[in-house]
Amino acid sequence: MLILMVTSVALQFVALQAAFILYCFGLFVLYNKEIDYLGTDDKNYLALALVATALILPINVFRTPTSALHFSMVLATLAGALVAAKSPRAYAAASLLALLLSQGAVLWFLRKAGLDNFPLEDMIEGTSSNGITSYIVCLQINYCVANLHARGRAAPLTSAITFFICVVGYGRGSILAGTAIMLISLLFAFRPLPRIYAIAATAVLALGSAFLIAENYQIIYNFATNNTKLGTGLYDEPRAAMIEEYWNRLSGLNILFGASFDNTLIDRFFNGNPHNSYIRGHHFLGLFYILLMGLMALRPLFARISLTEKAFHMAMLATLLLRASTEPILFPTPFDVMYFSMFLLFGRPSRAPLAKKRAALPSPKRSYA
């Protein structure tokens, strides 16, 4: 399912996306009797999200006919996630496989194309380097969350590979997301160690990294300025203009049902791509849908996991949602199956081991005369 998901998103073939939707529904039909792990709160929340979106769907369809297709994507990705989240360890393994295959495909292409002249722009016809790095970022965050929840392990190695791919892709948002993922993974890489050793290892790592950055600051600065978009600053004028124009259209019922793209910058210059997951979701499915999807990111706060795990998961989800603010990677897309799966995993007890503790000695038995 995850491999089909990645393929359908990367190649943008309608037939592949239709196959993905049918496959998710098929999985749900086959395994729906085994989906017995949902708590009452999660059931009620998902029901509220679907009902709230479905109630305004007829009006949305009248204004934007493709809204019906996007709602079918919401149902399909939720159906696939309900099956996937039943087995957290299997889902973590599948997430790793999808991530490694995607990273491997990118690295194999870079091996042949080289690193000069922004090579990822030519990897997939019709897909920019920003899109490719955004897909890798989503897959990496999904794996980090699934792996820590199921196995209690961070993923610093794959996070480092993702960071490298993001740097080669030269986009500001992906580089910042890749950096955040790698730093978060490194901070939690020593979590299974006893606390004092974990703190010491993290401190050594932080100081070592700071020293290397300080010693090579000019080299890093020159590379970032000449080979990435970071040299132009973090402000993106076209994206800011699209957000402002869409925001200005929100009045009256448009706030509830979503505003039109007709005769906007999004329509005239960007082929209907708002480069923003929230604008896209609001446009197709309305305010209730996008608010309820966003609130799902708070689920780790109420999960039965340690404070350390909550911090890790919230940091990863914040990185994902920030990346979604500059690329239409979620709400609704096939990648929502990962977003729903992460939400559903938090409704289950974490199998992550706590910090290793010294084994307690058996208490001496009393001797009786």
Side-chain angles (χ1 to χ4, degrees):
M1 179 180 66
L2 293 180
I3 292 171
L4 181 58
M5 173 199 72
V6 175
T7 308
S8 66
V9 170
L11 299 181
Q12 295 293 314
F13 292 158
V14 175
L16 277 175
Q17 296 205 4
F20 171 76
I21 290 174
L22 292 175
Y23 189 76
C24 287
F25 282 137
L27 284 178
F28 183 77
V29 170
L30 288 174
Y31 296 102
N32 69 87
K33 293 182 179 179
E34 299 179 25
I35 300 171
D36 53 1
Y37 60 86
L38 285 181
T40 303
D41 291 342
D42 288 347
K43 287 181 181 178
N44 292 338
Y45 190 88
L46 291 173
L48 174 64
L50 293 177
V51 170
T53 305
L55 284 176
I56 65 172
L57 188 61
I59 296 177
N60 285 39
V61 169
F62 179 78
R63 182 178 52 81
T64 308
T66 54
S67 293
L69 297 176
H70 290 290
F71 186 64
S72 69
M73 180 65 75
V74 174
L75 296 177
T77 50
L78 177 57
L82 285 167
V83 176
K86 178 175 175 59
S87 304
R89 293 182 69 87
Y91 181 71
S95 299
L96 176 61
L97 177 62
L99 173 63
L100 290 178
L101 288 175
S102 301
Q103 288 179 333
V106 174
L107 294 176
W108 179 258
F109 175 82
L110 291 174
R111 178 179 175 272
K112 296 194 301 180
L115 301 179
D116 297 328
N117 301 320
F118 313 122
L120 293 185
E121 286 287 344
D122 302 318
M123 181 176 176
I124 302 175
E125 186 177 354
T127 301
S128 67
S129 62
N130 230 11
I132 292 171
T133 54
S134 296
Y135 306 155
I136 298 294
V137 163
C138 287
L139 290 166
Q140 182 66 62
I141 291 174
N142 174 66
Y143 172 60
C144 285
V145 169
N147 198 46
L148 188 78
H149 190 274
R151 297 192 176 97
R153 303 172 189 167
L157 180 58
T158 56
S159 297
I161 297 172
T162 292
F163 172 73
F164 169 75
I165 292 173
C166 290
V167 171
V168 173
Y170 79 85
R172 287 165 294 201
S174 291
I175 291 176
L176 293 175
T179 302
I181 293 169
M182 186 173 66
L183 291 176
I184 296 166
S185 295
L186 288 174
L187 285 174
F188 286 84
F190 306 106
R191 181 178 166 275
L193 296 173
R195 182 171 298 178
I196 185 63
Y197 297 120
I199 293 173
T202 303
V204 170
L205 179 66
L207 291 173
S209 300
F211 176 77
L212 289 174
I213 292 172
E215 285 292 308
N216 300 280
Y217 171 77
Q218 195 60 47
I219 296 174
I220 296 171
Y221 177 80
N222 290 338
F223 177 85
T225 301
N226 298 324
N227 297 280
T228 74
K229 289 184 178 179
L230 288 174
T232 61
L234 299 179
Y235 181 76
D236 190 303
E237 187 173 351
R239 282 182 169 85
M242 284 189 283
I243 293 172
E244 182 180 4
E245 188 175 33
Y246 188 81
W247 180 265
N248 289 335
R249 289 198 167 202
L250 297 181
S251 62
L253 292 178
N254 282 347
I255 297 175
L256 182 61
F257 299 109
S260 172
F261 289 163
D262 292 343
N263 202 32
T264 62
L265 294 172
I266 298 170
D267 177 38
R268 298 198 309 269
F269 299 107
F270 296 97
N271 197 29
N273 180 4
H275 291 78
N276 186 301
S277 296
Y278 308 108
I279 290 178
R280 184 176 185 273
H282 183 263
H283 165 72
F284 285 120
L285 297 173
L287 179 65
F288 291 140
Y289 164 76
I290 206 66
L291 285 178
L292 290 165
M293 292 300 103
L295 287 174
M296 281 187 175
L298 300 179
R299 185 64 179 86
L301 295 177
F302 308 99
R304 290 175 289 174
I305 54 179
S306 69
L307 185 61
T308 303
E309 289 176 271
K310 289 182 180 182
F312 177 90
H313 293 311
M314 290 301 296
M316 284 293 180
L317 287 172
T319 303
L320 175 62
L321 293 179
L322 284 173
R323 191 69 193 99
S325 68
T326 56
E327 284 297 326
I329 50 180
L330 299 172
F331 311 140
T333 73
F335 276 1
D336 284 3
V337 76
M338 296 188 292
Y339 190 73
F340 282 128
S341 294
M342 287 187 279
F343 169 81
L344 294 169
L345 285 176
F346 296 129
R348 315 200 65 189
S350 173
R351 298 184 183 181
L354 299 175
K356 294 179 180 178
K357 297 179 180 179
R358 185 179 300 175
L361 295 175
S363 56
K365 296 181 179 180
R366 291 183 179 180
S367 58
Y368 296 92

